Amino acid sequence: EAGVAQSPRYKIIEKRQSVAFWCNPISGHATLYWYQQILGQGPKLLIQFQNNGVVDDSQLPKDRFSAERLKGVDSTLKIQPAKLEDSAVYLCASGGGKNIQYFGAGTRLSVL
Amino acid sequence: AQSVSQHNHHVILSEAASLELGCNYSYGGTVNLFWYVQYPGQHLQLLLKYFSGDPLVKGIKGFEAEFIKSKFSFNLRKPSVQWSDTAEYFCAVNYYGFQKLVFGTGTRLLVSP
């Protein structure tokens, strides 16, 4: 079975620029998650979707981060404008049940 | 607040040594517990999980973990590590009523041949 696909793998931008990340979950998985993993820390949930509805976005910095999951399949996470502290790996995960999450390879963002 | 603590940030072992990585969580209610592993250059993969039943769970590649409810712990063990076990290990908890995972800060394991 195909895994969670993410793109791009790497992105370098300057502060105040905008950036977008894309995720395609495992086919049939209703739940999709975006995590932020800062160097030296564990992943932290940014937003959780159930189909195309938001379940939890309590830790999403909504002044600069946005995410959507149109049609309940793939998802896009956007940062606008980026700050230096946004440098991190952005992980997408999907879940089909039993609370097990499957992770993509992530997008490594460097903000200069 | 929900939190997960991993006490060992870096561990260096020789091949064939035994491994135990600590994990403690902060909540006293019903939890699901996970260990994920990230090999160099690869994505996070599920190593093992505990939902209910026998508190000693076995995962892939000879790993096991024991859930001790009274200590809020879920330590990972392997009797004899291999060089290929070099990776970062994350403990994660899913608290009842929430689907999100709360992760620890991770433990980097280096196994020298």
Side-chain angles (χ1 to χ4, degrees):
Chain A
E1 123 187 306
V4 177
Q6 288 189 247
S7 66
R9 287 297 310 276
Y10 306 92
K11 190 73 177 180
I12 301 174
I13 61 172
E14 295 186 350
K15 60 184 179 183
R16 291 188 290 274
Q17 286 187 322
S18 62
V19 65
F21 313 126
W22 174 83
C23 172
N24 191 26
I26 293 172
S27 178
H29 281 190
T31 312
L32 186 147
Y33 310 81
W34 283 102
Y35 288 86
Q36 179 192 57
Q37 186 177 12
I38 293 173
L39 187 64
Q41 300 180 19
K44 182 187 80 172
L45 181 72
L46 292 175
I47 189 167
Q48 175 188 343
F49 291 95
Q50 182 76 18
N51 296 308
N52 60 351
V54 176
V55 174
D56 184 350
D57 64 355
S58 57
Q59 297 190 89
L60 186 74
K62 298 180 185 65
D63 58 332
R64 299 183 300 106
F65 286 64
S66 64
E68 59 183 11
R69 191 184 183 198
L70 300 175
K71 301 180 182 178
V73 183
D74 55 352
S75 176
T76 302
L77 176 70
K78 297 180 181 177
I79 308 175
Q80 182 178 12
K83 292 186 175 181
L84 297 176
E85 58 261 35
D86 298 331
S87 294
V89 176
Y90 291 85
L91 298 168
C92 179
S94 69
K98 295 286 281 183
N99 290 318
I100 297 174
Q101 297 181 25
Y102 298 87
F103 286 81
T107 296
R108 184 176 298 275
L109 174 67
S110 296
V111 182
L112 307 178
Chain B
Q2 302 162 351
S3 65
V4 177
S5 298
Q6 290 184 243
H7 315 295
N8 316 100
H9 298 293
H10 294 89
V11 174
I12 301 174
L13 295 173
S14 299
E15 275 194 315
S18 63
L19 170 71
E20 181 159 3
L21 301 181
C23 172
N24 288 88
Y25 62 95
S26 65
Y27 181 65
T30 302
V31 293
N32 297 317
L33 298 155
F34 305 82
W35 277 96
Y36 279 84
V37 60
Q38 189 167 26
Y39 298 103
Q42 297 188 27
H43 60 278
L44 278 167
Q45 302 171 40
L46 182 65
L47 198 56
L48 49 77
K49 62 189 182 297
Y50 173 80
F51 290 155
S52 63
D54 187 345
L56 185 63
V57 293
K58 296 189 183 299
I60 60 172
K61 303 186 181 184
F63 285 89
E64 64 179 29
E66 184 175 14
F67 171 49
I68 302 179
K69 189 174 182 179
S70 61
K71 295 184 178 180
F72 304 125
S73 71
F74 190 55
N75 292 354
L76 181 71
R77 299 194 292 249
K78 186 171 184 178
S80 177
V81 295
Q82 301 174 319
W83 175 80
S84 57
D85 294 324
T86 293
E88 189 159 17
Y89 294 81
F90 292 93
C91 181
V93 178
N94 164 245
Y95 293 88
Y96 182 75
F98 298 90
Q99 286 185 297
K100 71 176 184 181
L101 288 174
V102 178
F103 282 86
T105 53
T107 298
R108 287 186 181 269
L109 172 66
L110 174 63
V111 180
S112 58

